[in-house]
Amino acid sequence: MNTTLVSAAQSETVSRTPVWFMRQAGRSLPEYRELREGTTMLGACRTPDLVSEITLQPVRRHGVDAAIFFSDIVVPLEAAGVSVEIVPGTGPVIEHPVRTRADLDRLEDLTPDAITDIAESIRRVRAELDAKHPDTALIGFAGAPFTVASYLIEGGPSRNHEKTKAMMLGDPQLFSDLLAKLGRMSATFIDVQVSAGAQAFQLFDSWAGYLSAADYRRFVLPHSAAVFSSLSHHAVPAFHFGVQTGELLTDMASAGCDVVGVDFRVDLADASRRVRPGQALQGNLDPALLFAPWDVLRPRIEEIVRAGLDHPGGHVFNLGHGVLPTTDPAIPGLIVEEVHRVSQQLLSA
Ligand code: CP3
């Protein structure tokens, strides 16, 4: 039996709109901060006990329809031997950025035996979900080649992605070879998760919205499409999301995904016209609205649920980017209840 989330992602009839939140596992939860004390971020990501517990925390607290696997987009880089650290308050920092052909040649491929702990973490989460939350799906993920490349080329988080674009336009062959290698890495990272029990996966191209549509199509889309294509033998729905990607939505939707993640700046009804009619949408409540009074937030939730039900391809409710760290941990659960209540009412009418 499919979970409600998987059915919605496959455009099948559901009795309620499923809902989860990007970054639901993490800093907004006091029980997460407690568990993380004394560990580094990457250390925590490689410890199955911690990963499974952190992944399950928002399921228990919020009653979401999906668990998102707790990890990070730089975990496969670290597992492949890249020296990377996640600096609190900054993000991933790479010791030796990749800027030349020689740098790229030194970058190793990721092999499944380097991430047996990831498979173990997935199996633990699935065992508890199957036993206690059988209608909650486990979503695996990886960073898309462009977003991972940006960290690797810049050496860390970047506001303008200037070194990345300089390589993309100045040495397109090197850039293409780098994205191809990173695409294989992401595909291996997801393949291990799905083979161990993840029931869906999301490819995060968080920074694709910094590109023009023409550059996205020429330099990036083929590499993301290769990731989806190499995973298409798995019968699990594929999600694709990036921030500020309204202008790219039709192109991102064409990469080979089943569900298109919509940033909060795009009207869901407009998004509906930018994807294939049979393709599901995910989104797109503004994460900042979780700080607004409930009588302001409630009608926004209903508006998104209604727009989702009007879309012929199915809808998964989510935020239009991740939960903000200072969010009141009581709010996501109220949203889950409201999404379920409103959608059940409309679907049974
Ligand atoms: O809630 C938390 O932030 C705590 C754990 C944590 C994660 N990543 C979990 C994560 C921390 C401290 C990081 C570091 C990191 N890595 C940052 C944040 C820097 C900061 O302190 O503000 C960033 C931006 C990265 C790189 C990264 N990781 C990107 C671009 C993405 C894609 C999603 C996005 O936010 O755009 C990730 C994925 C990620 N990091 C996930 C988790 C649990 C998986 C996706 C999800 O939960 O929705």
Side-chain angles (χ1 to χ4, degrees):
M1 257 280 283
N2 277 341
T3 58
T4 301
L5 177 111
V6 168
S7 296
Q10 292 175 340
S11 313
E12 293 158 12
T13 310
V14 285
S15 59
R16 65 171 189 275
T17 300
V19 46
W20 67 282
F21 305 104
M22 291 185 275
R23 289 293 189 99
Q24 66 190 16
R27 289 172 295 182
S28 63
L29 297 184
E31 58 269 36
Y32 165 81
R33 293 194 294 265
E34 195 180 314
L35 207 57
R36 269 290 316 281
E37 242 166 78
T39 61
T40 62
M41 172 61 190
L42 286 173
C45 289
R46 306 301 302 273
T47 308
D49 269 350
L50 286 177
V51 171
S52 58
E53 189 57 24
I54 295 170
T55 302
L56 289 161
Q57 284 176 342
V59 175
R60 299 185 193 122
R61 188 192 262 266
H62 306 317
V64 278
D65 294 286
I68 178 80
F69 186 60
F70 184 79
S71 192
D72 191 82
I73 61 164
V74 297
V75 167
L77 290 177
E78 192 218 25
V82 173
S83 177
V84 49
E85 198 189 336
I86 293 185
V87 178
T90 300
V93 175
I94 311 278
E95 192 181 5
H96 304 290
V98 172
R99 301 202 178 130
T100 65
R101 175 64 60 180
D103 296 335
L104 174 59
D105 289 342
R106 276 193 293 272
L107 183 63
E108 303 280 345
D109 281 315
L110 175 67
T111 56
D113 36 296
I115 47 170
T116 52
D117 58 295
I118 298 293
E120 176 57 23
S121 299
I122 291 273
R123 283 193 291 270
R124 288 190 197 194
V125 177
R126 264 308 293 279
E128 173 145 346
L129 290 178
D130 288 351
K132 296 192 187 152
H133 310 272
D135 195 29
T136 304
L138 174 57
I139 305 177
F141 80 94
F146 174 75
T147 291
V148 179
S150 165
Y151 286 102
L152 212 48
I153 298 168
E154 306 286 342
S158 166
R159 200 174 287 266
N160 300 306
H161 306 273
E162 60 270 38
K163 294 186 180 73
T164 309
K165 290 184 181 182
M167 186 198 287
M168 180 178 88
L169 299 167
D171 193 344
Q173 190 58 53
L174 178 61
F175 185 78
S176 173
D177 293 346
L178 172 61
L179 264 67
K181 201 175 235 181
L182 295 175
R184 290 197 295 278
M185 211 179 267
S186 293
T188 300
F189 192 54
I190 292 172
D191 186 55
V192 164
Q193 295 172 57
V194 173
S195 301
Q199 294 135 303
F201 69 87
Q202 177 156 313
L203 194 66
F204 279 95
D205 211 348
S206 299
W207 312 140
Y210 282 87
L211 296 168
S212 71
D215 284 346
Y216 176 78
R217 276 195 291 272
R218 179 164 166 210
F219 297 110
V220 172
L221 176 59
H223 297 289
S224 295
V227 177
F228 287 112
S229 145
S230 73
L231 293 163
S232 61
H233 60 286
H234 287 296
V236 301
F239 293 58
H240 196 191
F241 170 76
V243 184
Q244 265 190 301
T245 47
E247 292 290 330
L248 307 180
L249 216 55
T250 304
D251 293 309
M252 287 184 72
S254 77
C257 55
D258 303 287
V259 185
V260 184
V262 183
D263 161 77
F264 63 83
R265 296 159 186 86
V266 182
D267 198 273
L268 212 57
D270 286 335
S272 175
R273 289 185 283 272
R274 293 183 204 177
V275 304
R276 282 188 285 107
Q279 199 164 28
L281 293 176
Q282 174 171 274
N284 73 340
L285 183 68
D286 184 341
L289 286 188
L290 275 65
F291 294 76
W294 183 247
D295 60 345
V296 174
L297 180 51
R298 206 210 61 77
R300 291 293 188 107
I301 297 167
E302 178 163 345
E303 216 172 278
I304 292 170
V305 170
R306 283 180 183 273
L309 292 174
D310 284 343
H311 174 65
H315 176 227
V316 174
F317 193 102
N318 203 319
L319 305 180
H321 195 188
V323 177
L324 297 167
T326 52
T327 302
D328 175 350
I331 304 298
L334 296 178
I335 298 176
V336 171
E337 282 173 21
E338 187 63 11
V339 169
H340 287 167
R341 191 187 66 77
V342 171
S343 61
Q344 267 161 352
Q345 201 169 49
L346 291 167
L347 283 163
S348 63

